[in-house]
Amino acid sequence: MDYGTQTPQVLEATDRAQTAARSVVHQFGQKLFFLPGTHIGAIRRPTRRIKSLFSPWHYWWQAHYVDALVDAGQRELATGVKFDGASRPSAGRLASRLVTTIRLRNFLTFVNSYYDDMAWLALSSWRLEQLAEKTRNPGRRRNARLLKTLSLQFDSASTDDLGGGTFWSKKRDFKNTPATAPVALHFARTGRRERAQALVDWLDAKLFDASQGMYLDGLRIRAGGEIFLENAIYTYNQGPILGALLELGGPVNLERAEALIRAIDARLTLAPEGNAPVPMRAGARILRCDGTGDGGLFTGILVRYLALAANDSAVSTEARSIAATLVRDTAEALWQGRRPAGEGAPDMIFSTHPLKTAAQTYPAGAVVELSTQLQAWMIFEAAASLGTV
């Protein structure tokens, strides 16, 4: 991430990211079973804290919580200011605690039944390791063990069945973009570029829909060996494959990346209406969001990788500009639709839909999910990273 020259626009974006970070951590951050030195995200608020400890905890949501804390940690390095105040733990330290707590909550292992879940944690932990190198924070041996353990899992899941790709789960009946793309990005970032390129090429051969310019969901192996194409287009599936194409680089991969950015702009955006509750300029390029639950994270994931494209000097000026506009306009819509602290909640609340206000999607007293608030935070961090792009 590049925080660039501190123009008024950049300072405003940074302040919004800082506000969102504090809001999410204050609302959802808690200890695991009251154990000192632990940190984990509650799945919803309000809820009874003891009850929440025994509810589903969503491994992969926590992995993206790590990613968002790493974003905040990068801003701390750039600005010299802790996101939550001088007397509070740094974002990097909280992220390290969260990774340790994920292992505790997952019965003393980082391995689970879903390869996409593990891939998200591998990606965020790799980024945490890069931050730790700069800040000398603890946890680096643990990070190395985690990455080694999960890499072995990805090796076992990335087979020649169906010609390549990565299985989604240990049932081994579905190879899809949600697992293959982040595993490819992990391999690219950890020096296994040939393995990464093979996965990217498989996605392009098997799951790329040329008519839409985007990647479909996956290939399912049904009973009896029949292969069924799941042809849904999801926002988050486009994000990590974009990241992998950028990481690998080269003319062919960059051409694919630029074409994907243009397709996202053409097909995954919403048109602001003149009487919409959230006022936006005419012609704004706002990405659609996918509701609550797991879908509440989807657009945040896409925006993370659009910001990487916008900051990548190897990408054409046109594609960088499109990516930056998508990030900034989506962030602006979510900010304009926010519900300030005190309006039915002690902290700020962000909407699940960029063209509806938080008061509409989360009226006073409604249960608010971590995924949707993490998504908004991730989008504000992405906008803050753009600098003067």
Side-chain angles (χ1 to χ4, degrees):
M1 298 289 184
D2 177 8
Y3 292 89
T5 305
Q6 294 296 289
T7 64
Q9 182 186 39
V10 173
L11 288 171
E12 181 180 61
T14 299
D15 184 63
R16 290 176 178 183
Q18 193 87 324
T19 299
R22 288 194 296 266
S23 178
V24 174
V25 171
H26 290 177
Q27 286 183 85
F28 296 93
Q30 63 182 33
K31 291 182 174 66
L32 176 67
F33 300 122
F34 307 101
L35 293 172
T38 61
H39 185 82
I40 199 163
I43 296 307
R44 57 187 61 84
R45 289 283 188 248
T47 188
R48 294 179 181 176
R49 284 186 175 259
I50 293 178
K51 181 179 179 180
S52 71
L53 293 172
F54 296 95
S55 300
W57 64 288
H58 296 284
Y59 179 116
W60 80 285
W61 295 15
Q62 308 296 334
H64 288 289
Y65 187 12
V66 175
D67 245 339
L69 284 168
V70 172
D71 289 339
Q74 291 177 329
R75 285 192 296 99
E76 288 180 336
L77 283 180
T79 63
V81 178
K82 284 187 177 181
F83 86 101
D84 201 20
S87 64
R88 302 283 294 169
S90 69
R93 189 168 293 275
L94 271 186
S96 185
R97 288 181 185 176
L98 176 54
V99 171
T100 297
T101 307
I102 289 171
R103 178 177 176 273
L104 290 174
R105 181 63 179 80
N106 201 49
F107 305 106
L108 302 180
T109 180
F110 289 115
V111 176
N112 84 348
S113 296
Y114 295 91
Y115 295 105
D116 60 334
D117 287 12
M118 292 184 279
W120 297 123
L121 184 60
L123 291 173
S124 61
S125 296
W126 181 87
R127 296 184 65 234
L128 177 59
E129 174 61 13
Q130 309 312 300
L131 181 65
E133 286 183 5
K134 300 174 183 177
T135 60
R136 298 180 182 178
N137 275 345
R140 296 189 59 192
R141 289 184 180 178
R142 179 214 55 215
N143 294 343
R145 290 195 301 270
L146 181 159
L147 292 170
K148 181 178 180 180
T149 297
L150 296 188
S151 291
L152 291 172
Q153 292 292 314
F154 305 146
D155 282 336
S156 73
S158 301
T159 69
D160 292 334
D161 301 273
L162 303 182
T166 304
F167 281 114
W168 176 57
S169 78
K170 293 196 173 181
K171 289 184 178 179
R172 294 178 174 258
D173 60 357
F174 191 31
K175 283 194 168 180
N176 64 2
T177 303
T180 305
V183 167
L185 179 55
H186 168 73
F187 282 151
R189 285 179 171 174
T190 55
R192 302 178 66 185
R193 296 177 62 83
E194 289 186 9
R195 196 80 190 269
Q197 188 66 60
L199 292 177
V200 165
D201 290 343
W202 181 85
L203 283 169
D204 201 61
K206 299 292 187 179
L207 293 177
F208 182 71
D209 184 340
S211 67
Q212 300 184 77
M214 289 181 287
Y215 292 83
L216 306 177
D217 196 43
L219 294 173
R220 192 175 299 278
I221 305 171
R222 290 179 165 175
E226 178 191 0
I227 308 303
F228 178 78
L229 173 65
E230 298 281 3
N231 62 4
I233 294 284
Y234 294 114
T235 51
Y236 82 128
N237 280 350
Q238 317 313 314
I241 182 59
L242 176 59
L245 291 166
L246 296 171
E247 188 71 30
L248 289 166
V252 173
N253 288 324
L254 291 175
E255 183 180 348
R256 291 179 186 174
E258 292 173 11
L260 180 58
I261 291 167
R262 290 191 290 270
I264 291 165
D265 180 52
R267 296 182 178 275
L268 297 182
T269 51
L270 302 169
E273 300 175 2
N275 60 350
V278 177
M280 290 295 295
R281 65 175 175 81
R285 309 303 297 168
I286 301 167
L287 290 162
R288 80 180 199 206
C289 291
D290 290 292
T292 58
D294 286 346
L297 272 170
F298 285 5
T299 301
I301 294 168
L302 172 57
V303 168
R304 172 179 301 286
Y305 296 102
L306 285 170
L308 289 182
N311 282 317
D312 192 331
S313 60
V315 175
S316 71
T317 301
E318 177 205 16
R320 292 181 70 193
S321 177
I322 293 170
T325 298
L326 290 169
V327 173
R328 287 198 176 105
D329 286 358
T330 304
E332 181 66 23
L334 286 172
W335 184 261
Q336 292 301 327
R338 73 194 185 282
R339 194 174 78 204
E343 293 187 8
D347 290 287
M348 192 170 290
I349 299 294
F350 301 102
S351 181
T352 65
H353 190 295
L355 295 182
K356 295 181 180 179
T357 66
Q360 291 175 296
T361 62
Y362 280 133
V367 173
V368 180
E369 288 186 307
L370 171 64
S371 59
T372 62
Q373 304 309 290
L374 269 181
Q375 172 170 265
W377 176 12
M378 292 158 65
I379 291 170
F380 296 133
E381 294 285 2
S385 77
L386 294 181
T388 55
V389 174

